[in-house]
Amino acid sequence: MRTTVLACVCAAALLTAACSAGGPAPETPGLVARDTTMTTVKPAHQDLSNQVSLTGKVALDPVFGVPAPADGQVRYLDVKQPDATPATATPVANVWANGKATRVDVPAGSTFSGRLVDDKSTVTAGMPVASAKYAGYGIVADLDGSQAYRIASAPGTVQAQIKDGPGPFQCTVLGTIAALPAGTPAPPSPTTAAQPPKEQQPSNIPAPPGPSTQQQQSDPTGLRLVCTPPAGVKMINGVTATLQVVTAIAQNVLTLPVEAVAGSQGSGKVDVVVDGRRQTKDVTLGLTDGKVVEIKTGLTGDETVAVPGPNLPQPQQQAGGPTR
């Protein structure tokens, strides 16, 4: 009996030794802990430009908007239909403020197409108040809202490339970047549009041109940018073109990859790695080209920054639902 028990004990000991000889059993791999830093990057100095790429088409006689040059009340002039393409600017309205008039001109090479707001309306600087038609070829690019906000305040320079054609070349922006309502022709009856809102009228304001002829009203347009090529560039109506709009340029600025930054529109957050742990810092953002973003303030350039950037906290909700 003792022999049998001893044999069982030895067998169990040998089995335990055999199992432990190969080391511990492998564990099933799991996910890394949340916010574990997988990659880091150092801020770098470089030149940076804010660019927007647009797709457009060559168009014949494109319509564009002429903006108000100042805040005030618009008073339209009675514009005579020209016999030929104007070689000089055409005055089409005055914007009055505090007894002073600022003239609204359709640029040379274009003709007046219609009024975009009612006469005597209060307008703000940059608001399109007249539509004009360019005589010749232009490039028209349709925009979405985000593109429009990035380039509306400062279109900067525009480079154009015609698909399978000429380019790149400078393209001159016409008018304002906006969607235009239908342009209303000037009424045929005599007008007092050139008169100021108040009784006084400065002597340097030009008198209205002679009687107008009936004009065709311009059609409404979508949100668009219109630009014209230099003389000598061969254009074909309807051909696809690409526009590269540069709105701003900064030289030797501190930058980070966009993946390392949370936030936009001037303010953001980054995670700085110190002794293996993340510390979230506020930063002020500047230009971006879609790959890197300018860091104006918040970092010195010596930090090690985690990629990806921090997760912005979600707004807290009460257990009972939204507050009333």
Side-chain angles (χ1 to χ4, degrees):
M1 187 66 174
R2 292 181 60 186
T3 303
T4 304
V5 173
L6 182 61
C8 291
V9 172
C10 291
L14 291 174
L15 181 61
T16 302
C19 292
S20 60
E27 297 180 0
T28 302
L31 297 176
V32 297
R34 185 176 179 82
D35 292 334
T36 299
T37 302
M38 304 301 295
T39 308
T40 59
V41 67
K42 286 277 191 181
H45 285 85
Q46 67 178 76
D47 295 343
L48 190 61
S49 62
N50 188 17
Q51 301 182 14
V52 180
S53 183
L54 306 173
T55 300
K57 284 188 176 182
V58 176
L60 189 60
D61 297 345
V63 173
F64 61 95
V66 179
D71 297 350
Q73 187 184 84
V74 64
R75 293 294 184 93
Y76 288 100
L77 303 172
D78 191 9
V79 182
K80 181 181 178 180
Q81 190 75 0
D83 297 327
T85 301
T88 59
T90 303
V92 297
N94 292 313
V95 175
W96 287 89
N98 300 321
K100 179 183 177 182
T102 305
R103 208 169 73 176
V104 181
D105 289 338
V106 167
S110 303
T111 56
F112 174 65
S113 293
R115 304 174 177 184
L116 299 183
V117 298
D118 292 334
D119 189 38
K120 303 180 183 179
S121 295
T122 299
V123 298
T124 57
M127 178 188 297
V129 294
S131 60
K133 181 180 290 186
Y134 179 74
Y137 285 112
I139 298 177
V140 178
D142 293 328
L143 310 175
D144 60 30
S146 62
Q147 292 170 331
Y149 273 104
R150 288 182 65 185
I151 65 179
S153 58
T157 61
V158 179
Q159 290 280 332
Q161 172 69 59
I162 306 298
K163 185 177 181 180
D164 300 325
F169 53 82
Q170 286 286 116
C171 202
T172 304
V173 176
L174 286 178
T176 186
I177 297 170
L180 306 179
T184 305
S189 58
T191 179
T192 58
Q195 300 298 323
K198 299 182 179 180
E199 293 183 358
Q200 74 273 16
Q201 180 179 3
S203 58
N204 60 346
I205 301 302
S212 63
T213 57
Q214 186 64 31
Q215 300 169 340
Q216 295 181 348
Q217 82 173 36
S218 60
D219 294 329
T221 69
L223 192 59
R224 54 164 39 178
L225 177 147
V226 180
C227 67
T228 57
V233 176
K234 182 175 178 59
M235 309 286 277
I236 299 176
N237 190 41
V239 172
T240 300
T242 299
L243 300 180
Q244 195 74 24
V245 184
V246 178
T247 62
I249 297 176
Q251 295 182 334
N252 195 32
V253 294
L254 195 66
T255 64
L256 278 174
V258 293
E259 295 84 3
V261 181
S264 62
Q265 301 297 326
S267 62
K269 295 180 182 294
V270 299
D271 276 352
V272 175
V273 180
V274 179
D275 296 330
R277 300 181 65 85
R278 291 180 179 232
Q279 295 180 3
T280 301
K281 286 193 173 184
D282 293 327
V283 292
T284 303
L285 307 179
L287 300 182
T288 180
D289 62 1
K291 297 180 180 179
V292 298
V293 59
E294 177 187 2
I295 307 298
K296 287 187 172 182
T297 62
L299 297 179
T300 64
D302 297 326
E303 297 87 354
T304 299
V305 179
V307 180
N311 292 324
L312 295 180
Q314 297 295 326
Q316 295 181 354
Q317 294 184 354
Q318 296 182 357
T323 58
R324 296 181 181 271

